[in-house]
Amino acid sequence: SGAGAAAAPPPPPPSLDLAPRGADVLFYGCGNARRQALEAAVRAAVEPRGFTVMFRLDFGLFGAEREAAIRGCRVALNAHYYPRAALETHRINYLLGLGCCVVSEPSADAELDALYEGAVVFAALEDIPARVVELLEDEGAVAAVAARGIALADELVGLAAARAREALPE
């Protein structure tokens, strides 16, 4: 190496953009007729546009495989097992904390849905495929929803920690 040779640039810092990509759209959960119908509708809407879909309607996506699927997707779906069900906050909070853009059907609790509005894209079950296409075709929208989701997840963790501290005896 000569005296005037330029040093190689440092490698880029790790980022979500460099993470290996999985399916563009992910759903995992127990299967039933309404979720199977959603899968068919999502596939029909997004696959002709070149996007990929992973629906796992079984109990086989756990641990590292589930986390890799979540981290690799662009949009994660939340669809209730029963119509007008409770919002699956345990699932949604986990997805938001991992930086996912989440699309969900509304729940039976409008007040709770309002808390998540903006951090989660809500759409009626039959409208989810069209909303997913809109998002996939606008990477800026996916990133904006994911950023609002991370902010909400952080806020919820802070609220939980504050309530736990209040409950502790002095």
Side-chain angles (χ1 to χ4, degrees), residues 115 152-166:
L115 173 69
L152 178 61
D154 288 347
E155 181 181 339
L156 293 172
V157 168
L159 289 172
R163 287 192 177 150
R165 282 191 299 278
E166 290 172 5

Side-chain angles (χ1 to χ4, degrees), residues 26-45:
L26 171 67
F27 175 84
Y28 61 95
C30 185
N32 67 358
R34 71 193 312 269
R35 288 174 168 176
Q36 290 168 341
L38 177 62
E39 176 182 10
V42 168
R43 286 187 185 283

Side-chain angles (χ1 to χ4, degrees), residues 8-169:
S15 78
L16 293 177
D17 294 335
L18 298 179
R21 278 281 167 212
D24 293 303
V25 181
L26 171 67
F27 175 84
Y28 61 95
C30 185
N32 67 358
R34 71 193 312 269
R35 288 174 168 176
Q36 290 168 341
L38 177 62
E39 176 182 10
V42 168
R43 286 187 185 283
V46 306
E47 287 179 341
R49 290 171 168 82
F51 299 113
T52 57
V53 177
M54 175 193 281
F55 258 71
R56 292 290 296 267
L57 298 175
D58 58 18
F59 295 103
L61 189 61
F62 292 102
E65 183 185 5
R66 180 183 65 185
E67 187 154 328
I70 292 168
R71 289 185 183 277
C73 77
R74 293 175 58 205
V75 175
L77 303 180
N78 180 61
H80 309 310
Y81 192 84
Y82 298 106
R84 305 248 338 123
L87 190 64
E88 292 90 347
T89 56
H90 58 286
R91 173 190 308 262
I92 289 174
N93 291 346
Y94 184 71
L95 294 168
L96 296 179
L98 289 176
C100 283
C101 172
V102 177
V103 176
S104 177
E105 65 179 312
S107 74
D109 185 341
E111 190 174 320
L112 186 58
D113 290 355
L115 173 69
Y116 282 83
E117 187 67 44
V120 172
V121 175
F122 287 102
L125 190 69
E126 62 274 10
D127 296 331
I128 286 177
R131 291 296 290 134
V132 168
V133 168
E134 289 172 14
L135 288 164
L136 291 175
E137 291 180 341
D138 183 352
E139 193 59 43
V142 169
V145 172
R148 290 191 299 269
I150 290 170
L152 178 61
D154 288 347
E155 181 181 339
L156 293 172
V157 168
L159 289 172
R163 287 192 177 150
R165 282 191 299 278
E166 290 172 5
L168 292 175

